[in-house]
Amino acid sequence: VQLQASGGGLVQPGGSLRLSCAASGTIFSIGAMAWHRQAPGKQRELVAAMPRGGGTNYADSVEGRFTISRDSAKNTMYLQMNNLVPEDTAVYYCNAQIKPRGNYPFYDYWGQGTLVTVSS
């Protein structure tokens, strides 16, 4: 199983980006999914999550600006980021709990990260 993140880039303050994270390989079921980020010199932090039971959670710093979603048919999740500010500059990582086969437990997988730079 692999997670492939994409969609990062350079954007001006106030702009928007949509990140994608596609899961591939032998997948029976995908549970919780989340986006994390790590800014230079800082620890990795949770940005947005979709718990296995449903609903969404957001960090206070992105609430109202970012939206996490998933397309189960495509095994893909997204992070729509609007009204970006320089403090959003970071490497963004996707994370998912995936069950490769029906009789397996959920395992934790991470994407390789995609860089988002917010600057004028």
Side-chain angles (χ1 to χ4, degrees):
V1 176
Q2 289 187 328
L3 295 181
Q4 181 68 44
S6 61
L10 174 64
V11 62
Q12 292 186 341
S16 299
L17 279 176
R18 189 177 81 154
L19 305 183
S20 300
C21 178
S24 61
T26 303
I27 297 171
F28 176 81
S29 175
I30 300 178
M33 304 183 83
W35 287 94
H36 301 250
R37 69 185 180 186
Q38 188 165 18
K42 295 187 177 181
Q43 291 187 331
R44 189 175 298 189
E45 63 173 348
L46 177 66
V47 175
M50 298 183 72
R52 191 186 309 176
T56 55
N57 300 313
Y58 297 95
D60 289 343
S61 60
V62 308
E63 181 80 51
R65 300 187 297 121
F66 290 11
T67 303
I68 187 172
S69 62
R70 64 194 291 173
D71 184 335
S72 296
K74 296 181 179 180
N75 289 333
T76 300
M77 69 171 177
Y78 305 95
L79 184 68
Q80 178 66 43
M81 305 185 295
N82 298 328
N83 194 21
L84 286 160
V85 298
E87 292 73 25
D88 295 320
T89 295
V91 177
Y92 285 71
Y93 299 91
C94 55
N95 164 239
Q97 295 178 342
I98 298 174
K99 181 181 290 192
R101 300 186 189 277
N103 59 337
Y104 281 35
F106 282 97
Y107 294 111
D108 209 34
Y109 293 90
W110 289 83
Q112 84 286 7
T114 184
L115 177 62
V116 173
T117 303
V118 184
S119 175
S120 55

